[in-house]
Amino acid sequence: MKFDAVLFDCDGVLVDSEPITNGVLRQMLNEAGWPLTQAECERIFIGKAVRDERTRIELETGQPLTDEWMRAFYERRNQRLMAELQAVAGALDAVVAAHRHTAGRIACASGADRPKVVMQIGMAGMAPYFEDRIFSGHDLPRSKPHPDVYLAAAAHLGVDPARCLVVEDTATGVQAGLAAGATVWGYCQHGDGRAFQGLPVARVMHHMGELAAAL
């Protein structure tokens, strides 16, 4: 199928940021009194905005989730990302291929805060391909698994969501892409794609280079 636009998630699809971000989050939640393991932290938070789990965080820590705490989290997270972030293997080639396939109609649609996404795309050398076509669920009424961020990206590109390919690595993100009416390909670097079980992804990729080859 010829897609009119390709919409990429960011964390875990373009950049290998999730172990870094979740490591900082787990450490700070541990400090606040919630003794999470890394596996538990990833299961609860990957694919979601931290603020979306406000009720659970406040219940487990016994403390309000304040703007000051969130600022401290962003600062510690960004310091680690700037020191350690790497692009996902094959992701730059996939972005270049998608840009060529769609005559530049690509976008990044993330559940993360926009400054983080912009920083990461710049560090990964992908900024020239995305330019200003970067969208955050934080800026919309609802974040993933709701479709708002993908609908906003498709509308900006002037493309029917049904003609868009969405590339996602979490069940939460896949649900958002499907709810938008797009075709969704799941990226699963490790394992057999069980994270997408029961969700009608059109394809499961184990290397982002597969996207470049397919386009």
Side-chain angles (χ1 to χ4, degrees):
M1 179 179 179
K2 172 79 166 68
F3 297 103
D4 293 345
V6 180
L7 312 178
F8 292 89
D9 177 40
C10 184
D11 299 289
V13 168
L14 299 179
V15 292
D16 194 17
S17 55
E18 287 174 334
I20 299 170
T21 296
N22 274 270
V24 173
L25 179 60
R26 183 187 68 85
Q27 185 176 13
M28 289 188 64
L29 290 173
N30 285 179
E31 292 165 4
W34 185 5
L36 276 171
T37 66
Q38 188 65 30
E40 289 169 337
C41 190
E42 290 175 0
R43 179 178 55 79
I44 294 165
F45 290 100
I46 279 186
K48 302 175 186 173
V50 173
R51 291 181 191 274
D52 289 346
E53 294 294 322
R54 174 187 295 274
T55 301
R56 179 144 188 207
I57 291 170
E58 293 180 342
L59 180 67
E60 298 282 358
T61 64
Q63 303 173 38
L65 185 66
T66 63
D67 289 343
E68 183 180 1
W69 192 93
M70 288 300 304
R71 278 194 295 271
F73 166 63
Y74 290 150
E75 185 176 341
R76 284 169 65 169
R77 177 201 67 186
N78 289 352
Q79 287 175 350
R80 285 276 309 278
L81 288 169
M82 285 188 283
E84 302 173 31
L85 185 71
Q86 299 288 324
V88 166
L92 180 57
D93 289 342
V95 167
V96 172
H99 193 271
R100 183 173 58 243
H101 176 85
T102 62
R105 289 187 298 275
I106 68 169
C108 181
S110 173
D113 52 288
R114 193 173 189 277
K116 171 178 180 266
V117 180
V118 171
M119 177 185 77
Q120 293 181 148
I121 285 175
M123 290 180 67
M126 301 173 186
Y129 300 98
F130 287 104
E131 297 179 330
D132 65 338
R133 299 181 301 278
I134 297 171
F135 300 85
S136 165
H138 285 223
D139 301 329
L140 295 160
R142 304 174 303 176
S143 195
K144 300 173 185 179
H146 300 287
D148 302 30
V149 71
Y150 281 118
L151 293 174
H156 179 85
L157 295 171
V159 176
D160 181 344
R163 299 289 304 167
C164 293
L165 171 64
V166 162
V167 185
E168 270 286 356
D169 70 317
T170 67
T172 303
V174 167
Q175 288 166 352
L178 292 170
T183 298
V184 181
W185 289 5
Y187 168 63
C188 178
Q189 183 178 4
H190 306 292
D192 57 5
R194 196 170 299 164
F196 312 128
Q197 195 166 3
L199 295 169
V201 294
R203 178 171 180 161
V204 175
M205 302 179 293
H206 298 287
H207 191 284
M208 283 298 289
E210 294 175 47
L211 178 60
L215 295 176

